[in-house]
Amino acid sequence: MYKQYQQVGEEKERFLLWAVCSIQLQVLCGSGEDKLLFLAEGLLKKHVASHSLHEPEALMIYISILERQAKFGDALEILSGKLGSLLQIEVDKLRMQGRLLARAGDYTAAADIFNKILESCPDDWESFLHYLGCLLEDDSIWCDEVVNDPVHPPKFVNFKVSHLTDEQFDSQISIASACVQKLQADTINNLIRCPYLATIEIERRKHLRGKGNDDNLMDGIVQYFCRFGHLACFTSDVEMFVEVLTTDKKIELLEKLMKTSVSLSAPPTKTLGLSISFFKIKHLLLGDMSMSSASDLEVFCVQMFEMYCKNLPLSKDLDPQESMHGEELLSMICNILVQLFWRTKNVGYLVEAIMVLEFGLAIQRYVSQYKILLLHLYSHCGALSVAHEWYKSLDVKNILMESILHHILPQMLVSPLWTELNHLLKDYLKFMDDHFRESADLTFLAYRHRNYSKVIEFVQFKDRLQHSSQYLVARVETPILQLKQNADNIEEEEGILQNLKCGIHFLELSKEVGSKSLTFNEDLQSRPWWTPTSEKNYLLGPFEGISYYPREILTKDRETSLKRVIEKKSLLPRMIYLSIKSASASIKEHVEVNGSVTPDITSELKLLLECYAQFLGFSLTEAIEVVMGFSNGESSCVVSDSNLIDWLNFTVFLNAWSLSSHELVQPDGNGCRPRIWNILDSMLEKYILENVKSIEPQLCSPWSVMELLMQLVTEPLAWHGLVIQSCLRSCFPSGKKKKKSGSAYQSSANLAHAITDSVMHLFHVLEVVLKWITEWNKRPEDEHLENILLLLRRDGHNDGPGKVFHILETFISSVNDVELGDRISQSLKSWSPADVARKMMTGKLKVLTEFSAICGSKLKLFKSMKQQIAQL
């Protein structure tokens, strides 16, 4: 590119900037050293000396290269010189100048610049923070800009304890206060939030310095409530300020806000907004919801639902796709009802939350937050097909797939809805692969239009997507899904494995993952409070007193944990392939006919077993000891629900390796059946039957046990079935029964003895599972519906779920067409709680039906294997 630059005339600047962007990208993407920036700077400096610059974007690239080298003075000199005139928008130029001055340590000059910005843009909150930071000589805001994750921005403004003396601090705070007062005076008739938030921020800084006045801070929040409390953003605006108050002061602030909200006079829509903000700030200030009794929370839900119903007429003339007045109330009610379920384990609260959200969506079908909450509630109750339908209704396309798919993908990966899962994975991977192909065109288009900052942005964005944790998961899970789908037919399974290059590609991926840095691009703010990340679900554990809407911070631990999961799963295709070959090679007749490949198979499989054991936290020898410990029928303390599938997978592959390896020869008491095989069969039988017995009979009960049961059948049992198929096929190499020599006959007889009990065990286990599903499906529909609705019937009881549902039913029965308008009233009249209960029932039964089909296919396989064994 630099050679082209030397050869062209008028296009010199464009080719130069392409070369400079390439250098900058090498540094930004981590493949180049910072000294390359010096080279880029030299190219630009030489070009400016001979040809100057003619594009604003070229100047911005030049400034960014100097800034990255901490040459702030040089950048300021260029910006204030002739080239600075390339930036036509004055406020953009001032922002850049202020940042450079601050990073150069000239805080006084930087503060003056940001003050100018505030005079022309009084609602520029970021500029105010920069202004205050300069006054207090606090550079933490610029340090944070370097490390901030653009997808997950920090929740609070960091603040470094100032090195200023008390007198200097007071003086600078006075200057800031005077500036804010002037801004407020100049914007008294406008709905501009920044000057009023700035007053509270100044009080917060004083408080953190130890010079704060709680009354001033609380008064600032109350005044902000009076002016902006009707806005949906009020609570998030003041959230970081109330954090500095003690519990007593928070209660005092709540009392002040309550008095203020009662005295305020406003139009109905603003009054509603103020009430919603008060409800939200009440929870924020009270913090730990465990301090409130269940009955108090129920009353609170009733109050909010009554408010929602009372204010529905305000939305009667709105377009169907417009946000309704008070729609946040139903989300808040749902969150509290789920909290009540967590505390009491009364599943009726979950059903009530679902009813409330379905009621809201009957009125307004476009509230994405309702759909996301419902998606997670239906998933938790096992109606995953309904959850999937709600996900599809979000109409997620293009890049939103990267940030929204996490709501449904983890649940689908452990479900029997393989067709739907296949579509999800294919659509997502197609988008990602298409984007990677098209990104070069987008980058070149931006370059042609001399939008050099976009060139940098496009390449960085592509790099971020290529390191996406979700993308890696999808790449690994797609072949595993194919292997699950074809596990009942070894010939088809081997065809899949051949297409996967026998799993070698995924071994390479497993080795690469450890050295990669992963990016997490999920929109975690859209997740419900009870599942802040896809790996965490508070509802599966015991109730803990936690603050309102707990949010987990993304840490390096999460990245490390996910890397291990991806690395471990990347081993599966190759281990399945080698296990099939190992089982086949264990038959003497097969070795004689096809030539022995046992040494290569056993050595590689042993190596992979060692890797797999490390992921379990043990050496291979230690992991084998854990497995052997199951021979007495006792569970190991190191095996739990969270790692059970991994241990059983390990045991399947260990068993396959032991068939062709002489390192682990431990027959059972009869001297002919491998001991590990016996242990594996016992483990599968034990855990599958235990899970069947522990599943709660209620149709809407949580589904975590059922998920584990489905995984047990579709993974370790399926892989073990492949090993058995391989052994049997080796006894019939041409598909027909052959006359065998004495040794071969003995080998086949020993094999038959080894697998006969295994097939019988697993056949019996699958029969039990199918019988349980059949009994569940045989229950009358009316019984299912009645059991669900019964959870919400009060029947004279004052405690428990159903209070909100009772008001809901009463409201629907007394709908006023004139008050609500045709659209809303017709929607309510066509809505039925029984339909929602039926949806829950059919959604769960569909999952069970799909699982039943999988179990039925495997039962048919084991039946055919019993017939084959009879011929041995």
Side-chain angles (χ1 to χ4, degrees), residues 12-22 44 53 58 61 452:
K12 272 181 177 283
E13 183 172 308
R14 188 157 65 92
F15 281 104
L16 171 72
L17 265 296
W18 183 255
V20 169
C21 285
S22 299
L44 282 165
L53 293 176
I61 290 292
Y452 304 115

Side-chain angles (χ1 to χ4, degrees), residues 147-164:
V147 299
N148 277 349
D149 183 344
V151 180
H152 309 106
K155 195 172 186 180
F156 300 131
V157 179
N158 287 330
F159 171 62
K160 189 165 66 178
V161 177
S162 177
H163 61 274
L164 301 177

Side-chain angles (χ1 to χ4, degrees), residues 850-862:
E850 292 294 327
F851 183 47
S852 176
I854 292 169
C855 292
S857 175
K858 296 191 183 304
L859 192 69
K860 184 178 178 181
L861 167 68
F862 282 96

